Amino acid sequence: MVDYHASNSQASSGGPAVYMDPREQENDWDRDLLLDPAWEKQQRKTFTAWCNSHLRKAGTQIENIEEDFRDGLKLMLLLEVISGERLPKPERGKMRVHKINNVNKALDYIASKGVKLVSIGAEEIVDGNAKMTLGMIWTIILRFAIQDISVEETSAKEGLLLWCQRKTAPYKNVNVQNFHISWKDGLAFNALIHRHRPELIDYDKLRKDDPLTNLNNAFEVAEKYLDIPKMMDAEDIVNTARPDEKAIMTYVSSFYHAFSGAQKAETAANRICKVLAVNQENEHLMEDYEKLASDLLDWIRRTIPWLENRAPEKTMAEMQQKLEDFRGYRRVHKPPKVQEKCQLEINFNTLQTKLRLSNRPAFMPSEGRMVSDINGAWHNLEGAEKGYEEWMLNEIRRLERLDHLAEKFRQKATIHESWTDGKEAMLTQKDYETASLSEVRALLRKHEAFESDLAAHQDRVEQIAAIAQELNELDYYDSPSVNARCQKICEQWDALGSLTQSRRESLERTEKQLESIDELYLEYAKRAAPFNNWMEGAMEDLQDMFIVHNIEEIQGLITAHEQFKSTLPEANKEREAIQAIQAEVQKIAQYNGIKLSGGNPYTTITPKTIDNKWDKVEQLVPQRDQALQEELAKQQSNDHLRRKFATQANIVGPWIQTKMEEIGRISIEMNGTLEDQLVNLREYEQSIIEYKPNIDQLEGDHQLIQEALIFDNKYTAYTMEHLRVGWEQLLTTIARTINEIENQILTRDAKGISQEQLHEYRTSFNHFDKKRTGQMDMDNYRALLVATGNSLGDAEFARIMGIVDPNNSGVVTFQAFIDFMSRETTDTDTADQVIASFKILAADKNFIMAEELRRELPPDQAEYCIARMAPYSGPDAKPGALDYMSFSTALYGESDL
């Protein structure tokens, strides 16, 4: 209810009072100001000119402000002109009651616009009360000319003052601090005009010490070129110690409205430039992502075939070179790609955050370049990598086994071939045809001994064949030569068997005619043959190659060798006994005067042969001792390498696990500001990076282990592969955690979230993040929303989940939570706002011309728009017209950038 008749202390003292919105209380009508006749004169002239500037649009004007509004008719007309609205039909009678009713209609309309009037009644206006009339007009000026002025969230007087300060800031001798003294020298008026219409004012020729010239120049230019009527006299301003503030504000507001079109265009251009700058930066980030993703995928595609190549090499050296190439790949080539993959994920997350903050659609990489595609390719790479290393190690073991078997085959074949040398000639000779009985018997016994020896060598032939078969099964590269040699040995062995059988038959036929036998020679031959075989077997065993992989195996060989040495004294006794038989033969022959015609007819094994082989056995024993001790030292060294690697691995492995757990705790704790957290995390990251020498040391130890062909380590459960993966995960996790804090800072700054709000969000989120994983399921998230003041129905909760979990993963991250909490309360650019800005630049047309864009926008952004805007095809189209509406809409959801 508007009280036009209420009175207060001001009214009782004769002065009018006006009550406005509390924000405008500093502009309340002050009756004391009217006590100054100079101020009242300035207000009367200014307010009259202001009213006429609007009334002339209706073809009328006023001469005397307190007289011409008394009947209420021109007052109602003034309100209709400045508001653009129709007031109730006025009463045309001349009586006082008609006038009061018309003035009340005007006052009712002013009250309907939210203005509360105190002590201003229709009777005072009808009676021509000058002070009340001036108070009413000032109220109208405040409401319709000044109140809606807004600059950076300030309004009315402050907004108008801030606008003046900004526009005049570059001009010398101008310092606008108020609406009275700051305007006395006239320079501020001239600066306002020059800022918007520089061709109308030669500002550099104005002098601060000539205020009358300055004021008259500004007033005349404003009236002639800007259609702003002269509302004040220069002399009145100069000759008044403090010009009337309301008169100055009224006049200056006319300048504001005269230049408001340019102001709107400038604001529109600034908004468009801001939107385009964001879009250009996002396009650049998208291009960077696409290139980095393509390069990384190309590298993976080139590398996987190399890792999947399972073509075996022929030799250990070639396979060890392959293993060295692989180690170079792990040390040199792969680590930078791990960093690139991590950086790619960070760039992707940062880009999506910037797109959300600028109200843009999420970035969808081109087909095949999604983060999931890269992760899948990386998974395939690591699968190929693991299989490749395992295959190489198996190949090295196979080739090692092959080399060992091949050498063993050559040794046994050489021994056998040496034994068979001359045997065919011996078996085919006809010596028994001219021999005596004793000689024939000797030949038969000799042959029996040979058969015994032949049978003893059967096992060696079978071993040779078995080794050749195993070499064939293991795909030995030189299998043809092995097979040829084995075939030759087997064929020769079969021939020896046939010849042996044939010679036995011949000797047995001759034996029937010869009966004499030298029992002593026979005994010698019988004992010498097995002893000779034992020595040959001992020499073969002492020269046999061996391969072991740990201390236990070599200690087993040493124990067996010690057991063999323990049998040597008994063997020596047998040798001495055999030699005693030969000595007895010599003794009997000498004693009986028998002249021996040759050696022992029953064997080719002479005492000298036995002694030579015994000497060879005694030489081979210490050589075998030395070989076993050298292998023991090697296995002890290998065990040292295992222990050294295990000691460091058992430290590094738990250290990595501890750091991973600490990062998990850091990511959900709140210690200081986000900037503090970021600094701490980067210091933490640096401490992790400084641990890299420990990883490098392990890599070096691991290389020594591989070079020593060590394939097991009982002292630790950690493998180098396990530690590499853990280290890479640690570096990736700390980098991702830092990126999350950076994105939270971006969100906080872009959305205007205070540190206290962010702390509250984090505290609330942690309370419902029961598992401390940095994310939560739908039930806990619903509880979190309710706890933070969101009333949720099923439909509303489904809408929110569509925002915070667009991929339907079933979990919500802290970043998605703070995005939601801030997005609906933050002023962001929208497609409608950008369209409205373009519409201002286009002077309300539905299209815009290229020259208009070049005139209003910076060159690079103008050309950016021109290159992307489609031709306008509406009904009012003209040649060269561009469609800014479709372009603006595309920026916010229909673009395939």
Side-chain angles (χ1 to χ4, degrees):
M1 180 68 180
V2 180
D3 182 4
Y4 301 121
H5 307 287
S7 61
N8 54 22
S9 59
Q10 290 178 319
S12 64
S13 63
V18 181
Y19 181 78
M20 292 290 290
D21 185 283
R23 292 173 297 175
E24 306 299 342
Q25 287 182 5
E26 69 277 337
N27 293 324
D28 286 353
W29 183 255
D30 188 344
R31 68 178 180 83
D32 294 332
L33 298 182
L34 289 178
L35 297 179
D36 187 328
W39 286 350
E40 183 175 344
K41 176 182 177 183
Q42 290 176 10
Q43 289 181 7
R44 187 186 299 275
K45 179 176 178 61
T46 301
F47 291 179
T48 299
W50 183 85
C51 290
N52 284 335
S53 70
H54 293 285
L55 287 173
R56 67 183 178 182
K57 299 173 185 177
T60 187
Q61 62 179 5
I62 61 172
E63 297 293 338
N64 187 307
I65 197 167
E66 66 268 24
E67 290 295 329
D68 293 346
F69 286 137
R70 290 178 63 183
D71 61 3
L73 295 176
K74 288 188 177 181
L75 178 60
M76 294 179 69
L77 181 60
L78 174 65
L79 291 171
E80 286 185 345
V81 171
I82 63 178
S83 68
E85 299 178 8
R86 297 290 294 176
L87 271 65
K89 186 176 181 181
E91 299 180 12
R92 294 297 179 179
K94 302 294 185 179
M95 297 177 65
R96 178 179 174 81
V97 66
H98 298 139
K99 297 178 181 179
I100 290 176
N101 287 340
N102 286 338
V103 173
N104 271 330
K105 289 177 181 180
L107 296 177
D108 286 341
Y109 177 78
I110 296 173
S112 73
K113 296 302 179 182
V115 179
K116 185 176 181 181
L117 301 172
V118 180
S119 298
I120 297 180
E123 289 83 355
E124 287 84 353
I125 305 302
V126 173
D127 291 340
N129 186 317
K131 295 177 181 179
M132 288 294 182
T133 302
L134 290 173
M136 177 188 66
I137 297 302
W138 173 242
T139 299
I140 293 172
I141 293 171
L142 275 177
R143 174 60 185 84
F144 293 100
I146 298 177
Q147 182 171 309
D148 290 337
I149 296 174
S150 176
V151 179
E152 286 193 357
E153 300 182 1
T154 65
S155 60
K157 180 180 177 180
E158 289 82 358
L160 185 59
L161 184 62
L162 179 58
W163 178 79
C164 294
Q165 290 171 338
R166 288 196 169 179
K167 296 300 181 181
T168 61
Y171 293 89
K172 63 182 180 180
N173 297 326
V174 178
N175 184 16
V176 177
Q177 297 297 325
N178 50 55
F179 286 111
H180 40 79
I181 300 301
S182 297
W183 303 83
K184 279 195 68 173
D185 58 12
L187 291 178
F189 287 109
N190 283 277
L192 279 181
I193 297 171
H194 184 268
R195 180 63 182 271
H196 296 89
R197 297 289 299 276
E199 75 277 7
L200 301 179
I201 298 285
D202 189 351
Y203 186 83
D204 292 335
K205 290 186 177 180
L206 301 178
R207 302 198 321 273
K208 185 174 180 64
D209 59 359
D210 191 3
L212 277 175
T213 300
N214 297 340
L215 289 165
N216 283 323
N217 181 65
F219 294 166
E220 290 168 3
V221 169
E223 187 168 37
K224 182 176 180 180
Y225 295 103
L226 304 178
D227 198 26
I228 300 174
K230 184 177 181 181
M231 298 183 184
M232 308 180 73
D233 290 327
E235 292 78 9
D236 292 340
I237 295 176
V238 173
N239 296 329
T240 305
R242 185 176 183 270
D244 181 62
E245 184 176 57
K246 296 175 178 60
I248 298 290
M249 284 178 64
T250 300
Y251 192 26
V252 171
S253 70
S254 297
F255 283 85
Y256 176 86
H257 290 294
F259 297 134
S260 62
Q263 182 72 19
K264 290 179 182 177
E266 179 181 346
T267 301
N270 288 339
R271 181 181 292 277
I272 292 170
C273 288
K274 175 185 174 184
V275 171
L276 295 179
V278 169
N279 224 59
Q280 289 170 310
E281 180 185 1
N282 290 341
E283 283 184 359
H284 179 68
L285 292 175
M286 293 174 192
E287 291 170 359
D288 287 348
Y289 173 88
E290 291 282 349
K291 184 178 185 306
L292 185 56
S294 296
D295 292 346
L296 185 57
L297 286 171
D298 288 343
W299 177 82
I300 292 174
R301 294 189 187 104
R302 291 195 309 271
T303 304
I304 286 179
W306 174 65
L307 294 172
E308 290 179 339
N309 179 13
R310 299 296 189 269
E313 301 295 343
K314 294 181 178 179
T315 66
M316 278 278 288
E318 290 171 324
M319 283 306 300
Q320 286 173 335
Q321 182 58 49
K322 270 185 178 288
L323 184 60
E324 180 61 29
D325 292 342
F326 180 71
R327 282 198 294 263
Y329 155 78
R330 294 302 300 266
R331 290 194 310 268
V332 178
H333 300 291
K334 186 183 177 186
K337 299 303 177 182
V338 173
Q339 293 299 318
E340 286 181 18
K341 176 177 176 291
C342 177
Q343 189 61 47
L344 188 72
E345 293 180 8
I346 290 173
N347 291 353
F348 181 82
N349 293 333
T350 301
L351 173 59
Q352 298 293 35
T353 299
K354 289 186 175 182
L355 289 172
R356 287 197 304 272
L357 296 178
S358 58
N359 202 26
R360 301 302 196 277
F363 168 54
M364 289 296 294
S366 57
E367 185 176 357
R369 293 185 177 90
M370 296 285 289
V371 172
S372 59
D373 296 324
I374 293 167
N375 287 336
W378 192 265
H379 178 73
N380 294 338
L381 174 75
E382 292 187 330
E385 181 181 299
K386 185 179 186 304
Y388 188 59
E389 185 173 23
E390 183 178 347
W391 171 76
M392 282 191 295
L393 294 175
N394 288 334
E395 275 297 298
I396 289 175
R397 294 189 188 99
R398 184 182 71 84
L399 290 174
E400 181 187 32
R401 172 68 176 162
L402 282 176
D403 286 351
H404 172 69
L405 287 174
E407 182 61 27
K408 192 168 186 177
F409 174 85
R410 285 190 289 272
Q411 281 192 0
K412 288 187 177 296
T414 300
I415 291 172
H416 176 77
E417 289 166 346
S418 175
W419 178 83
T420 59
D421 184 38
K423 293 297 190 291
E424 288 188 18
M426 181 195 73
L427 292 172
T428 56
Q429 64 184 342
K430 305 296 183 180
D431 52 348
Y432 54 85
E433 292 181 348
T434 58
S436 64
L437 178 61
S438 60
E439 289 174 335
V440 170
R441 283 196 165 190
L443 289 175
L444 184 59
R445 299 297 179 267
K446 180 179 179 181
H447 188 70
E448 289 176 350
F450 173 76
E451 286 182 325
S452 175
D453 197 12
L454 185 68
H457 280 77
Q458 175 70 32
D459 182 58
R460 181 182 294 116
V461 174
E462 292 174 353
Q463 288 180 13
I464 290 171
I467 293 172
Q469 178 63 28
E470 188 170 0
L471 287 172
N472 278 280
E473 291 173 353
L474 293 176
D475 196 23
Y476 181 53
Y477 76 96
D478 198 22
S479 289
S481 64
V482 169
N483 292 337
R485 191 173 184 182
C486 180
Q487 181 66 27
K488 182 178 179 181
I489 289 173
C490 291
E491 290 174 353
Q492 184 186 43
W493 184 256
D494 292 339
L496 286 176
S498 299
L499 291 174
T500 299
Q501 180 64 26
S502 176
R503 182 172 176 80
R504 165 174 279 282
E505 291 173 353
S506 297
L507 288 173
E508 285 178 348
R509 284 195 304 270
T510 307
E511 185 185 21
K512 295 178 181 179
Q513 302 170 9
L514 304 173
E515 296 179 350
S516 175
I517 187 170
D518 188 339
E519 293 293 337
L520 202 55
Y521 272 161
L522 183 58
E523 182 182 359
Y524 174 92
K526 288 182 178 180
R527 294 183 69 173
F531 185 71
N532 183 69
N533 287 335
W534 175 86
M535 286 192 297
E536 288 183 346
M539 286 189 293
E540 182 176 349
D541 289 341
L542 289 171
Q543 297 177 85
D544 191 20
M545 294 183 63
F546 57 84
I547 179 171
V548 296
H549 296 95
N550 52 54
I551 292 179
E552 290 76 10
E553 291 179 0
I554 188 61
Q555 287 176 338
L557 291 179
I558 292 174
T559 300
H561 183 60
E562 292 298 324
Q563 291 174 350
F564 167 76
K565 289 195 294 184
S566 67
T567 65
L568 290 178
E570 189 66 27
N572 191 43
K573 289 180 181 179
E574 176 67 9
R575 180 186 67 83
E576 291 173 347
I578 292 172
Q579 298 293 53
I581 294 174
Q582 180 66 22
E584 184 65 18
V585 169
Q586 297 292 339
K587 181 179 177 182
I588 293 174
Q590 184 178 5
Y591 180 79
N592 295 293
I594 299 173
K595 185 178 180 181
L596 298 175
S597 60
N600 192 323
Y602 304 117
T603 181
T604 59
I605 302 172
T606 66
K608 184 177 180 182
T609 299
I610 292 175
D611 286 342
N612 288 341
K613 290 184 177 179
W614 179 257
D615 292 341
K616 181 66 175 177
V617 169
E618 288 186 321
Q619 292 173 6
L620 290 174
V621 168
Q623 292 175 8
R624 184 71 167 184
D625 282 332
Q626 181 179 355
L628 291 173
Q629 290 303 316
E630 288 175 353
E631 183 62 27
L632 176 62
K634 174 185 174 183
Q635 292 302 324
Q636 287 173 337
S637 174
N638 289 353
D639 204 57
H640 172 72
L641 291 177
R642 290 187 183 96
R643 291 178 184 273
K644 182 180 179 184
F645 176 84
T647 299
Q648 183 69 3
N650 290 336
I651 295 173
V652 172
W655 182 89
I656 291 175
Q657 181 63 33
T658 300
K659 293 301 177 183
M660 289 290 289
E661 294 171 356
E662 289 177 358
I663 294 172
R665 289 196 300 272
I666 291 172
S667 66
I668 62 173
E669 291 176 353
M670 301 166 294
N671 296 315
T673 65
L674 288 178
E675 285 74 9
D676 293 338
Q677 295 176 38
L678 190 59
V679 169
N680 292 337
L681 279 172
R682 284 175 174 160
E683 292 176 352
Y684 195 79
E685 181 184 39
Q686 185 59 36
S687 70
I688 291 175
I689 293 173
E690 290 173 356
Y691 197 74
K692 180 65 163 55
N694 295 283
I695 305 298
D696 295 338
Q697 178 184 340
L698 266 181
E699 288 284 5
D701 294 343
H702 180 63
Q703 179 174 345
L704 293 176
I705 283 178
Q706 286 196 328
E707 290 172 351
L709 300 179
I710 299 171
F711 302 109
D712 63 320
N713 194 336
K714 65 183 180 181
Y715 302 113
T716 181
Y718 293 102
T719 67
M720 195 63 235
E721 175 65 23
H722 181 201
L723 295 174
R724 286 193 199 109
V725 172
W727 175 251
E728 292 169 1
Q729 289 178 345
L730 179 62
L731 293 177
T732 300
T733 300
I734 186 64
R736 285 175 178 161
T737 304
I738 289 173
N739 181 243
E740 288 175 1
I741 297 300
E742 291 172 337
N743 285 341
Q744 289 177 26
I745 291 174
L746 280 175
T747 302
R748 180 199 66 191
D749 295 343
K751 300 293 188 178
I753 302 174
S754 67
Q755 188 66 36
E756 292 72 18
Q757 284 178 306
L758 201 59
H759 180 82
E760 181 181 347
Y761 291 159
R762 172 55 83 178
T763 302
S764 301
F765 189 89
N766 286 350
H767 178 74
F768 290 94
D769 181 13
K770 305 298 185 183
K771 297 181 180 179
R772 294 296 186 267
T773 61
Q775 58 187 24
M776 62 181 67
D777 58 26
M778 293 172 60
D779 292 338
N780 284 328
Y781 187 61
R782 181 188 284 267
L784 171 60
L785 290 176
V786 172
T788 53
N790 292 276
S791 57
L792 297 175
D794 290 342
E796 175 65 9
F797 183 66
R799 181 188 74 83
I800 293 174
M801 287 304 297
I803 295 172
V804 299
D805 183 22
N807 296 323
N808 295 321
S809 63
V811 295
V812 180
T813 64
F814 177 67
Q815 182 65 42
F817 170 61
I818 61 173
D819 283 347
F820 168 74
M821 293 299 289
S822 60
R823 67 177 289 170
E824 298 187 358
T825 58
T826 304
D827 180 25
T828 58
D829 293 315
T830 65
D832 289 341
Q833 289 173 326
V834 175
I835 289 173
S837 298
F838 274 118
K839 196 173 186 68
I840 291 172
L841 299 187
D844 286 334
K845 300 190 301 293
N846 291 328
F847 58 84
I848 193 166
M849 306 301 292
E851 57 267 21
E852 291 175 316
L853 288 170
R854 292 190 177 101
R855 183 177 67 245
E856 299 292 347
L857 300 179
D860 60 331
Q861 294 185 333
E863 298 305 323
Y864 178 84
C865 292
I866 293 168
R868 285 164 173 76
M869 282 186 182
Y872 177 71
S873 58
D876 52 344
K878 58 189 294 187
L882 300 174
D883 186 354
Y884 62 78
M885 293 186 182
S886 297
F887 172 73
S888 301
T889 302
L891 289 176
Y892 287 86
E894 298 177 4
S895 173
D896 190 23
L897 296 177

